[in-house]
Amino acid sequence: EVQLVESGGGLVQPGRSMKLSCAASGFTFNNYDMAWVCQAPKKGLEWVATISYDGSSTYYRDSVKGRFTISRDNAKSTLYLQMDSLRSEDTATYYCARHRYLRNYFDYWGQGVMVTVSS
Amino acid sequence: DIQMTQSPASLSASLGETVTIECRASEDIYNGLAWYQQKPGKSPQLLIYNANSLHTGVPSRFSGSGSGTQYSLKINSLQSEDVASYFCQQYYDYPTFGGGTKLELK
């Protein structure tokens, strides 16, 4: 059974940093591109970033370029999102999601972790 | 970015009814469209991909159709467990989502 379990969320002040983790199991992690998708409270979904199966390529939405870094450790089957210079508008639930093989839609999602940026 | 416009924003329907949700892309997305269901307090779940292909385990009362810039999700014989929000997502370009449709029981 595919499982994605996020951790690392919480309350953080504007301008500070936070790192999210996503532990994957139930599939061959290093075969799949992975992504982070966020959802502001009572709002819709927004793709944040994607990393290729081997970590060689990364892609970001414009609003997080230069502030967020997606990475992975295939030996640990873990995905990360380093979030720097956080803003109030980054407040959201962040989901770890698996890309369908060679496609840009998401066939499995984690339960999500809440990040609140507030002073 | 490709913009996705979803309608209606909310919908109230009776058990057993057929429901249709629409999604319009700002440009041709060549059937690169997925639909997700999100129940309250839960993460999204994939329903449909490639505009009309049912994901594993999804009940056959769900179906997708469309082409070009216009797509739709149909739910036949609405069940109580279908109460949820539904989102479309294009993947012809960097992923973007529609604003969502909240489906409630009448």
Side-chain angles (χ1 to χ4, degrees), chain B residues 17-59:
Chain B
E17 197 172 326
T18 294
V19 167
T20 300
I21 298 169
E22 307 281 347
C23 197
R24 185 182 80 248
S26 58
E27 59 184 86
D28 195 329
I29 56 172
Y30 301 94
N31 281 19
L33 185 99
W35 289 97
Y36 301 89
Q37 176 192 66
Q38 185 177 32
K39 296 185 177 180
K42 300 293 186 181
S43 57
Q45 302 291 310
L46 177 66
L47 294 175
I48 302 279
Y49 61 95
N50 291 351
N52 56 22
S53 297
L54 212 59
H55 182 53
T56 306
V58 175

Side-chain angles (χ1 to χ4, degrees), chain A residues 38-84:
Chain A
C38 72
Q39 185 171 34
K42 307 291 187 185
K43 298 291 186 183
L45 298 161
E46 285 190 339
W47 167 76
V48 175
T50 286
I51 187 167
S52 61
Y53 66 98
D54 61 356
S56 62
S57 298
T58 57
Y59 311 87
Y60 300 91
R61 67 178 297 107
D62 287 346
S63 63
V64 307
K65 279 181 188 174
R67 299 190 300 123
F68 289 11
T69 302
I70 188 171
S71 62
R72 64 192 296 161
D73 184 337
N74 283 346
K76 295 182 178 179
S77 295
T78 302
L79 176 72
Y80 303 101
L81 184 67
Q82 175 68 43
M83 302 184 292
D84 298 324

Side-chain angles (χ1 to χ4, degrees), chain B:
Chain B
D1 289 6
I2 296 177
Q3 307 301 316
M4 303 301 292
T5 303
Q6 196 172 330
S7 62
S10 63
L11 181 55
S12 183
S14 303
L15 291 174
E17 197 172 326
T18 294
V19 167
T20 300
I21 298 169
E22 307 281 347
C23 197
R24 185 182 80 248
S26 58
E27 59 184 86
D28 195 329
I29 56 172
Y30 301 94
N31 281 19
L33 185 99
W35 289 97
Y36 301 89
Q37 176 192 66
Q38 185 177 32
K39 296 185 177 180
K42 300 293 186 181
S43 57
Q45 302 291 310
L46 177 66
L47 294 175
I48 302 279
Y49 61 95
N50 291 351
N52 56 22
S53 297
L54 212 59
H55 182 53
T56 306
V58 175
S60 58
R61 64 179 180 274
F62 291 90
S63 63
S65 63
S67 63
T69 62
Q70 300 277 359
Y71 298 86
S72 61
L73 171 71
K74 187 164 75 171
I75 310 172
N76 286 317
S77 188
L78 188 69
Q79 306 294 305
S80 57
E81 60 263 33
D82 301 334
V83 169
S85 292
Y86 293 84
F87 295 90
C88 62
Q89 179 231 321
Q90 67 78 23
Y91 52 94
Y92 178 69
D93 194 8
Y94 289 115
T96 50
F97 293 86
T101 296
K102 187 174 183 180
L103 175 59
E104 297 175 325
L105 282 180
K106 192 179 292 182

